[in-house]
């Protein structure tokens, strides 16, 4: 993980090295960091700044995940969780303000879509390779999570 800065980022500052469900650990890190940063420094971590951070994190994540995948010899190694972090930050940005129960549901739906990869998520996972592919399928999982929330809130 410390061999290159890309690895540190792609592996979620070590959260992706968990021997148990590394993607879930990365998503939990995303949730915790979003909550702590937003509450500790609300003047900086505004919705607009979060959007900029997420967009920049997506672009940097393409590079970091591509480099880490090449160095590890596996394009989408399970320890790479930056994709989950960026995608779940996007979910939280768009569902917040939300109570704890709603955030738990967002977490569960996101993990469901990320793990099961129903169409078209699975298609994108198979079709796009490299850093972009690693990052993109999680953005689609975030979209599906947000779609569930949009339908739920409209009922």
């Amino acid at each position: 993980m410390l061999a290159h800065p890309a690895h540190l980022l792609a592996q979620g500052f070590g959260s992706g090295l968990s021997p148990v469900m590394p993607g879930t650990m990365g998503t939990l890190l995303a949730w915790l960091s979003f909550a702590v940063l937003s509450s500790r420094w609300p003047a900086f971590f505004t919705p607009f700044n979060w959007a900029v951070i997420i967009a920049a994190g997506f672009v940097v994540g393409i590079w970091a995940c591509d480099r880490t995948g090449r160095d590890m010899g596996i394009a989408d190694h399970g320890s790479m969780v930056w994709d989950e972090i960026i995608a779940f930050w996007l979910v939280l940005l768009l569902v917040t303000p939300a109570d704890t129960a709603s955030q738990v549901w967002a977490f569960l739906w996101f993990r469901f879509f990320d793990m099961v990869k129903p169409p078209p998520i699975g298609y994108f996972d198979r079709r796009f390779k490299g850093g972009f592919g690693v990052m993109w399928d999680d953005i689609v999982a975030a979209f599906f999570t947000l779609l569930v929330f949009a339908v739920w809130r409209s009922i």
Side-chain angles (χ1 to χ4, degrees), residues 52-71:
V52 170
I53 291 165
I54 291 165
F58 180 82
V59 172
V60 171
I62 292 171
W63 163 77
C65 291
D66 187 65
R67 171 67 192 250
T68 302
R70 280 187 288 119
D71 289 352

Side-chain angles (χ1 to χ4, degrees), residues 26-84:
T27 307
L28 286 170
L29 175 64
W31 192 2
L32 176 65
S33 61
F34 188 91
V36 169
L37 293 170
S38 295
S39 64
R40 179 69 177 102
W41 295 285
F44 180 79
F45 288 95
T46 63
F48 177 79
N49 286 350
W50 269 117
V52 170
I53 291 165
I54 291 165
F58 180 82
V59 172
V60 171
I62 292 171
W63 163 77
C65 291
D66 187 65
R67 171 67 192 250
T68 302
R70 280 187 288 119
D71 289 352
M72 296 183 82
I74 300 172
D76 193 358
H77 192 273
S79 69
M80 295 191 306
V81 297
W82 186 247
D83 51 335
E84 279 90 358

Side-chain angles (χ1 to χ4, degrees), residues 1 3 7 9 12 14-16 42 59 68 79 91 95 100 105 114-115 124-125 136 140-141 149 151:
M1 180 181 75
H7 302 178
L9 190 66
S15 63
V59 172
T68 302
S79 69
V91 169
V95 301
T100 303
W105 279 110
D114 187 38
M115 290 187 298
F124 290 123
D125 186 50
W136 184 247
V140 178
F149 266 77
V151 169

